[in-house]
Amino acid sequence: MSERYDTARRLALSDPEGYWSQHISLVDWVTPPTKMLDSDRAPLHRWFTDGTLNTCYNAVDRHVLAGHGDRAAIIYDSPVTGTSATLTYDQLLEQVGAFAGGLRDLGVGAGDRVVIYMPMIPEAVVAMLACARLGAVHSVVFGGFAPRELAARIDDARPIVVVTASCGIEPGRVLDYKKMVDEALTISTHRPNALVLVQRPQLPATLEDSREYDWSDVIRSGATHPAAPVTVRATDPLYILYTSGTTGRPKGVVRDNGGHALAMAWALPNVYDIHPGQVWWSASDIGWVVGHSFIVYAPLISGATTVLYEGKPVGTPDAGAFWRVIAEHSVQGLLAAPTAIRAIKRVDPDGELIADHDVTSLRNLFLAGERLDPDTYSWATDLLGIPVVDNWWQTETGWPIAANLRGFDPMPIKPGSPSVAVPGFDVRILDEHGQEVEAGVEGAICIRLPLPPGTLPTLWGDDDRFVRSYLSTFDGYYLTGDGGHIDEDGYLFVMGRTDDVINVAGHRLSTGSIEAVLAAHPAVAECAVIGAADALKGQIPRGFVVLRSGWQQDHSELVAELIRSVRADIGAIATPKDIVVVDGLPKTRSGKILRKSMREIADRGDSTVPATIEDPAVLDMLRSVLRP
Ligand code: COA
Ligand code: AMP
């Protein structure tokens, strides 16, 4: 371990307040904090409690004021519509100020919520920043979620305004967002005051209700009295991002303003080695944490240029799309999901399409969101001849917990490992009794409290659930939900979730929510969903259902119905690979379904059978179904 990393790591752990106070000037504060960490309500911790600032000011205004207004802020590249556009910091400021003015006219003020359900278009980023400008709290919902999921988030966040677009564009089909929002609003009990909609030529929507507004009208009227940044406390919420937990009810991860701005400003240069004026591309979606942190906030707060890509790794139009974007915009750093690289490799196994593009601008390829398998790592390394860098984190932390710090102290890469704990994250491996294990021994990956700035202070409106879900298993530790080990050199190896959260093509889903959809069908007496290994998507849901006695229906017809229900209620991203009708499910004597044993048989062919199993014969019977 090098001295620079080691010194930073030790200081950040022994004196977190001292360490982060050295970095507070990365952010422009209205009132710089004098108090770094407040642990009065431990295990709840808050950073920079007496500091005040505005996040949008940090992401936009300050760059314009520093004379960089003509620098590109956003490069929008949309192969699905055949368009591209560049927005300078000057133009971004103009649009954000105007839209914030328009939102204010619609009644949005500091602390109010705004739900954003939008495709990957610049207006989505403008909407997020406009909320931040007003001190309002945005909650972006991934466009791939179905109306029911959107409704659940609307009911929890209780927004004043919903911002959407008339449509999203998936390869081969146009998605009617307006229809989905309308449907969500018939399901939700909460009614927002207004809906603002960006009209897209591919499928314009009809605005009927007097509470429905066209984006261009809102921004035009807002431009006559643009909103200035509203000063908020560092601890005030910037956004809520719902993520899948082990139950069907999503968790509203809260992000604060001050700690988040600081963490973003620290992470982009130090982890990703991207600096002001450089071009950065995070090929994710604004609906996920990777999009929040590394499409929007980190690059803009840092004064870099961010690429907003409305397309896929393959099929828009081909598997050379990533290489084209890198070449066309001289991208210096790319963050993507391993699935995207696997998809490219599957279509273009020899990487022939890269020859058509000059990708020499790219210095690092970062991969995150799911386990980086050694095959994908080697293929990308051989093809690109640059460091391929794994980094591990989650919605809750907002920025990497473990990484190879390319801009701070690059270290040798060990395939299969996201490298080392980032300074500020005290990563420990604990056994089931909460005791730390030795190097190389697998256990629960936990982080000793306090978590560093930028990580979740709580769940929206539910401190108890926050404590129950993350802080109560092991006293003094945050439970990540992942299992793994740390080797003799301090490198972390993440082996996968220890709970019922699954990761499908880098999208985090809960098996519990898919089970809830299956269980709602009248034919289903009980069911289980597991995430089975998949060569392209990492994991893919597989369902097992036991029918009510006497239920007579052709199985293939029933399965098709169940799959349709999952797509309609959760979204196409959760489509199960298969659903199998079985005679029974393996359970413990207390009735808990042995999903872990089922997953192990599906993935490896064998499983350690718990002593508490009710009837081992049921598991034996399932073997041929799980692993045909
Ligand atoms: N809005 C609406 N629907 C969406 C969507 C969105 N934003 N994203 C995906 N979907 C739909 C797809 O259209 C597809 O629908 P279909 O079953 O009717 O065809 C379904 O959800 C599954 O999509 P996807 O998971 O994208 O699978 P795919 O087989 O179409 O494509 C990949 C495979 C690998 C190309 C794709 O999964 C991919 O690009 N993965 C990378 C994802 C990523 O960057 N994740 C990072 C998150 S941090
Ligand atoms: P999300 O909250 O959607 O970002 O998903 C977080 C989860 O994805 C983590 O808890 C891990 O299970 C998984 N994950 C993310 N990045 C990695 C990685 N680099 N290696 C292994 N798993 C990862």
Side-chain angles (χ1 to χ4, degrees), residues 369-371 390-395 482 494 497 503 508:
E370 52 172 324
R371 183 172 168 267
D390 189 2
N391 51 118
W392 168 69
W393 48 296
Q394 32 184 224
T395 306
D482 282 299
V494 182
R497 298 289 302 197
N503 200 314
R508 177 165 158 183

Side-chain angles (χ1 to χ4, degrees), residues 54-72:
N54 181 277
T55 294
C56 177
Y57 174 89
N58 275 275
V60 189
D61 304 56
R62 67 164 169 171
H63 307 308
V64 173
L65 292 170
H68 305 303
D70 56 359
R71 180 185 291 166

